[in-house]
Amino acid sequence: FQKQVCNDIGRRLTVLEDAWAQGKLSAPVRKRMSLLEAELQQQHWDAADEIHRSLMVDHVNEVSQWMVGVKRLIAETRALPGAETDGSADAEPEPQQEEP
């Protein structure tokens, strides 16, 4: 089952990659996808979900072929062991204690 999920995500992300490379994505979609990538890298899952939802609402015709793959990628990455789920784009890192 997991392999099937990965294959589906991969196929959908390939559609995204091709659309991006061929210049078929509008500037607002490209910008939001760049923001989504940054949130994923910082493990801000809730912020990534919010960007995903805004893309689906505002640009459904443009993103519908591949956005399900992005949604599944967010969910699968969030579920990985060791993934921190702070959920906040505004989360501050914990202050470091200095050793004497």
Side-chain angles (χ1 to χ4, degrees):
F1 175 74
Q2 194 65 25
K3 184 176 181 182
Q4 185 178 358
V5 169
C6 290
N7 287 340
D8 181 60
I9 292 171
R11 279 192 303 276
R12 291 176 187 272
L13 293 181
T14 298
V15 173
L16 164 60
E17 183 180 32
D18 291 346
W20 190 297
Q22 295 169 15
K24 293 182 178 178
L25 299 179
S26 65
V29 169
R30 289 194 315 267
K31 180 174 180 154
R32 287 194 206 176
M33 286 304 297
S34 294
L35 293 171
L36 192 147
E37 176 194 15
E39 297 297 357
L40 287 175
Q41 288 180 348
Q42 295 176 48
Q43 298 182 354
H44 295 157
W45 312 121
D46 290 348
D49 274 336
E50 185 59 36
I51 295 167
H52 159 262
R53 280 191 295 276
S54 74
L55 281 162
M56 286 300 291
V57 169
D58 298 341
H59 302 280
V60 66
N61 291 333
E62 192 172 351
V63 306
S64 61
Q65 287 186 311
W66 46 265
M67 190 52 81
V68 172
V70 172
K71 181 178 181 175
R72 290 183 90 173
L73 178 66
I74 294 167
E76 293 296 323
T77 306
R78 185 180 212 161
L80 288 174
E84 296 175 16
T85 55
D86 66 28
S88 170
D90 300 323
E92 295 285 326
E94 291 293 321
Q96 300 266 332
Q97 294 287 333
E98 289 188 26
E99 295 195 20

